[in-house]
Amino acid sequence: MVSDERPSPEGPATFREVFAQREYRAVFAASTLTWVGDYVARAAVTLLVYRETESVALSAAAFAVSYLPWLVGGPLLATIAERHSYRQVMMVCDLIRMALMLLVAIPGTPVPLILVLLFATTLANPPSQAARSALLPLILPGDRLVVGLSLNASVGQAAQVVGYLLGAAIATVNPTAALLMNAVAFALSAVLVRLGVHDRPPAMTNAHRSHLLRETAAGFQIVFRTPVLRAIAVLVFSAMLFSIVPEGLAAAWANEHAGQSMDPGLAQAVIMAATPAGFILGGLIIGRTVAPARRLRLLRPLAVGAPLALVPALLDPPPVVVALLAAVCGFAVAGLIPTANGLFVQALPDGFRARAFGVMATGMQVIQGAAVLVTGLLAERFPIPLVVGVWSVAGVLLMSIVALRWPDQQTVAASVDAARAASVASAEATAAAKSSGGTSPEDPGPGHVGPGRPRHAVT
């Protein structure tokens, strides 16, 4: 159920309050393990491809491979999470990924087959992540959810730093070891979820199911036909469009510009780790010390400031300065994402969480992958500093437009109230239908959206 608490000028929830929830601790630990394993594998494969081909475009393509499953079927796969128990979905996906990573780690596996298996492994990401995202609001009420999302984002970025550093180091010795680490991480994650998370009934009952494609379409409708949800989606997608570029081009940037002052491998690790390091600091500082209402007011300036931080790349600075610029960008993005995610959950009616997450996650993954691919192709023809600098100038213009079109406080409050009322009405209608032995005609269930706009859309 959507929390009854909305952002207020009062102080934020504390880390102690968040970690007091046993289920959150289990989900938090499981997520951290899989994040580290994934980034170890990603960094190793990216570096391996660049060393073998010396192609910026192919290196960027290897980095972007993990984003493709979201484009192929992210929202459709995420919808599955609402048809089954969240715990069951998370466990099954972990075990599938573990098995596939063990196949990848078999010695002598050809590189093309490894990439195919990695692609297949990431097909399990949408339902797993959708289930986890839908589960968190059931575990953490009110501002605890926003702080929990900040913790997740910050620790996810910390796992990215650790994973990139380990991946870059291990790939020089034994790439297979990096893949085995990922398989072990998935196995441990499945155990933690099984032991630490309560088994809840599916968000969508059998009586409420329709066609999977229809249910998936309802997720798109609720996001893009609800003004506040649509504004949040545009904000998040725009932020992802440019903040990922330093990471995606790090291998080529380091090898072409490290020079005598720094080893290329170290330069790559520093650049790749900079954005997540800045995100960690931003998430912890803004999420823990800034009051909820003030976080909302900071959305606009942070939106413009994030791409602005990367514009000095035009001056072709050394790798250490590039890393500092990327860290500042990551800090600003950290002030955006958890706050926007928390508001998104509050403005979203029950029964749509996993599907809406699938829409948002797919957009983020596809946009990041496309940004890396496009800038990688541009870097084949133009200097990398010029590509990143001009790309960031375009980002400043885009985010300025997004900030100007951000909905006012009254519109946001109305959307949250409408979502809460719709959730209560849906729950009452479902309970009445169960007691009468059928499905209420006035409430076909959270899986149904009639023609035109979504049933719970805010006009």
Side-chain angles (χ1 to χ4, degrees), residues 147-404:
V147 175
L149 290 171
S150 295
L151 277 169
N152 276 10
S154 297
V155 174
Q157 297 297 318
Q160 190 171 355
V161 174
V162 174
Y164 280 154
L165 293 174
L166 284 177
I170 295 173
T172 61
V173 180
N174 187 357
T176 299
L179 302 174
L180 286 174
M181 287 179 60
N182 204 5
V184 171
F186 285 131
L188 293 176
S189 174
V191 172
L192 286 170
V193 171
R194 174 64 179 82
L195 297 178
V197 176
H198 296 311
D199 195 21
R200 294 173 172 83
M204 186 186 302
T205 64
N206 290 332
H208 291 154
R209 289 186 184 181
S210 59
H211 193 280
L212 187 61
L213 289 174
R214 186 181 182 186
E215 294 164 7
T216 302
F220 281 93
Q221 291 178 350
I222 194 70
V223 171
F224 292 110
R225 291 190 179 181
T226 304
V228 170
L229 296 180
R230 182 174 63 245
I232 295 171
V234 171
L235 175 71
V236 172
F237 293 163
S238 300
M240 295 298 101
L241 187 62
F242 55 83
S243 60
I244 190 66
V245 171
E247 293 177 46
L249 301 183
W253 204 338
N255 280 273
E256 293 180 9
H257 295 264
Q260 303 276 330
S261 60
M262 182 178 292
D263 175 76
L266 177 60
Q268 178 196 354
V270 169
I271 294 173
M272 292 186 83
T275 300
F279 198 105
I280 294 167
L281 291 176
L284 294 177
I285 292 173
I286 296 176
R288 181 61 189 91
T289 64
V290 178
R294 180 164 294 181
R295 290 192 216 120
L296 292 176
R297 291 195 294 270
L298 287 175
L299 282 177
R300 294 182 183 184
L302 289 174
V304 177
L308 186 62
L310 295 175
V311 172
L314 283 166
L315 302 177
D316 192 11
V320 172
V321 177
V322 172
L324 289 175
L325 298 177
V328 174
C329 176
F331 187 97
V333 173
L336 294 174
I337 303 302
T339 302
N341 285 348
L343 182 59
F344 189 85
V345 169
Q346 290 190 325
L348 187 67
D350 284 351
F352 284 91
R353 288 198 186 111
R355 281 174 284 176
F357 172 85
V359 172
M360 292 295 295
T362 297
M364 291 172 63
Q365 299 289 336
V366 171
I367 285 174
Q368 289 181 91
V372 172
L373 284 173
V374 171
T375 54
L377 290 172
L378 290 173
E380 292 278 7
R381 297 176 57 86
F382 305 100
I384 293 178
L386 177 64
V387 171
V388 176
V390 172
W391 190 266
S392 300
V393 170
V396 172
L397 296 176
L398 175 62
M399 293 305 270
S400 297
I401 295 172
V402 172
L404 289 173

Side-chain angles (χ1 to χ4, degrees), residues 32 96 285 417 420:
T32 302
I96 290 174
I285 292 173
D417 289 339
R420 184 182 302 120

